[in-house]
């Protein structure tokens, strides 16, 4: 039997974050659950003692509060073994129809909030944990691989998070035993779908219902039933299994749609490299 692990999870009020929290608790692990409305987890706090579950009010756009949250978790559990960087939301809009203010606010959560959580996680894994080490699980999206028309700003933020994560992986000292994985889920059915925000159709796209963003918009409000067939409880089981791997993957696409996106992207990159390779034959300084 291995000793219980300590999870630090952002965005646990609903959706995949809550599912992973419930799964970890059911397996005997301890959870420091952060969310903007701690009352959303009253059923879990009634079920588990504070020695197993702690809830903490956190808005990931408030950088000092992230540091406070990690310090509180360390004070309570003495170490943090696994961080699930999950807080987020998405908006439906044509790219040019997304208000700049709304786009920046979404990036503040999906990219900068996640980046600040990453910094604190790495600090804890390296400077506080004894023995050193930890697992950082960044929740990305299959749309970071191939953008979904209608949610491109969301996809862009997730793609930036992927690049940032790979950058961290390239720089970290292996002696710190910090493993980072990008989880790229496909179509899992959660409350996030119901809680999405939709901007008005951009006027230039209004008259043509055959355009990609219009077709995507037409899937709502029934998209949850018609397309999102991933079971979030089973997602949580996979994430728990991932947290136990000594050598986890850098990327983990989950769901047939995510796998197909990964295959298409890989083939596209290889095709471009092969087809246009000769264009690089004479772009260098001559000795």
């Amino acid at each position: 039997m291995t000793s219980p692990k300590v999870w630090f999870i952002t965005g646990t009020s609903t959706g995949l974050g809550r599912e992973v929290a419930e799964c970890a608790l059911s397996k005997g692990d301890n959870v420091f659950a952060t969310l903007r409305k701690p009352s959303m987890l009253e059923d879990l706090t009634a079920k588990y003692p504070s020695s197993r579950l702690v809830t903490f009010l956190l808005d990931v756009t408030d950088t000092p509060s992230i540091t406070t949250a990690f310090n509180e978790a360390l004070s309570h559990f003495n170490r943090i073994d696994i961080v699930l960087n999950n807080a987020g939301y998405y908006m439906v809009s044509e790219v040019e129809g997304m208000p700049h203010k709304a786009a920046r606010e979404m990036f503040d959560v999906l990219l900068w909030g996640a980046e600040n959580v990453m910094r604190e996680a790495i600090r804890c894994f390296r400077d506080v944990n004894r023995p050193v080490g930890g697992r950082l699980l960044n929740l990305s999206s299959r749309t970071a691989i191939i953008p979904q028309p209608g949610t491109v700003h969301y996809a862009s933020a997730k793609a930036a998070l992927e690049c940032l994560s790979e950058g961290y992986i390239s720089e970290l000292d292996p002696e710190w035993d910090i493993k980072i994985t990008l989880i790229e889920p496909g179509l899992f059915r959660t409350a996030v779908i119901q809680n999405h925000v939709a901007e008005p159709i951009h006027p230039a796209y209004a008259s043509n219902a055959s355009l990609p963003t219009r077709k995507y918009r037409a899937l709502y409000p029934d998209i949850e039933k018609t397309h999102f067939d991933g079971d979030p409880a089973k997602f949580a089981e996979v994430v728990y299994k991932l947290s136990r791997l000594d050598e986890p993957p850098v990327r983990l696409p989950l769901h047939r749609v995510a796998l197909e996106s990964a295959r298409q992207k890989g083939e596209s990159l290889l095709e471009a490299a092969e087809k246009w390779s000769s264009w690089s034959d004479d772009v260098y300084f001559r000795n």
Side-chain angles (χ1 to χ4, degrees), residues 70-192:
F70 271 88
N71 289 338
E72 284 289 327
L74 291 168
S75 176
H76 194 88
F77 291 115
N78 298 318
R79 65 179 287 120
I80 298 171
D81 299 294
I82 306 153
V83 172
L84 178 61
N85 208 355
N86 166 75
Y89 65 98
Y90 78 100
M91 301 178 67
V92 174
S93 173
E94 288 72 32
V95 176
E96 60 180 312
M98 176 71 75
H100 286 163
K101 182 176 183 294
R104 291 190 183 99
E105 289 174 349
M106 188 159 57
F107 268 68
D108 282 343
V109 173
L110 298 176
L111 177 59
W112 299 118
E115 198 271 345
N116 285 319
V117 169
M118 290 176 68
R119 289 192 185 204
E120 286 300 316
I122 290 167
R123 174 184 70 86
C124 291
F125 294 158
R126 178 190 58 222
D127 301 339
V128 179
N129 284 356
R130 293 295 180 269
V132 298
R135 301 295 178 264
L136 174 56
L137 311 178
N138 284 337
L139 198 73
S140 182
S141 167
R142 59 101 183 179
T143 65
I145 307 171
I146 297 179
Q148 167 64 55
T151 62
V152 172
H153 280 88
Y154 172 85
S156 299
K158 290 296 189 180
L161 177 63
E162 294 211 347
C163 186
L164 191 68
S165 300
E166 289 184 285
Y168 265 110
I169 291 169
S170 71
E171 293 182 359
L172 295 176
D173 188 333
E175 294 295 321
W176 298 339
D177 192 27
I178 298 171
K179 308 294 185 182
I180 300 175
T181 296
L182 287 157
I183 304 173
E184 299 166 325
L187 308 178
F188 286 87
R189 190 177 300 171
T190 71
V192 173

Side-chain angles (χ1 to χ4, degrees), residues 5-12 17 21 24-25 29-35 41 50-58 65-77 79-80 82-84:
K5 301 293 186 182
V6 177
W7 292 69
F8 183 106
I9 306 176
T10 65
T12 57
L25 288 165
D29 283 356
N30 303 322
V31 174
F32 191 88
T34 74
L35 63 171
L41 293 185
S50 59
S51 59
R52 299 280 320 284
L53 170 65
V54 175
T55 60
F56 189 86
L57 173 65
L58 177 63
S65 292
I66 295 175
T67 301
T68 300
F70 271 88
N71 289 338
E72 284 289 327
L74 291 168
S75 176
H76 194 88
F77 291 115
R79 65 179 287 120
I80 298 171
I82 306 153
V83 172
L84 178 61

Side-chain angles (χ1 to χ4, degrees), residues 142-276:
R142 59 101 183 179
T143 65
I145 307 171
I146 297 179
Q148 167 64 55
T151 62
V152 172
H153 280 88
Y154 172 85
S156 299
K158 290 296 189 180
L161 177 63
E162 294 211 347
C163 186
L164 191 68
S165 300
E166 289 184 285
Y168 265 110
I169 291 169
S170 71
E171 293 182 359
L172 295 176
D173 188 333
E175 294 295 321
W176 298 339
D177 192 27
I178 298 171
K179 308 294 185 182
I180 300 175
T181 296
L182 287 157
I183 304 173
E184 299 166 325
L187 308 178
F188 286 87
R189 190 177 300 171
T190 71
V192 173
I193 306 161
Q194 303 166 7
N195 297 333
H196 80 281
V197 178
E199 290 293 326
I201 298 172
H202 186 280
Y205 300 77
S207 62
N208 188 350
S210 68
L211 293 173
T213 59
R214 294 295 307 281
K215 288 182 177 180
Y216 182 69
R217 286 176 179 270
L219 297 175
Y220 290 85
D222 296 325
I223 191 171
E224 179 179 350
K225 297 177 182 178
T226 58
H227 289 71
F228 283 72
D229 60 354
D231 184 336
K234 293 178 180 178
F235 170 91
E237 290 284 347
V238 172
V239 171
Y240 178 83
K241 181 179 179 180
L242 171 67
S243 74
R244 262 44 186 188
L245 295 181
D246 291 331
E247 296 297 332
V250 172
R251 280 187 169 81
L252 182 63
L254 285 176
H255 193 282
R256 71 177 74 85
V257 172
L259 293 169
E260 183 58 27
S261 294
R263 293 187 183 105
Q264 287 183 13
K265 186 71 170 205
E267 291 169 1
S268 173
L269 292 172
L270 288 172
E271 180 184 358
E274 292 300 321
K275 183 176 181 179
W276 303 101

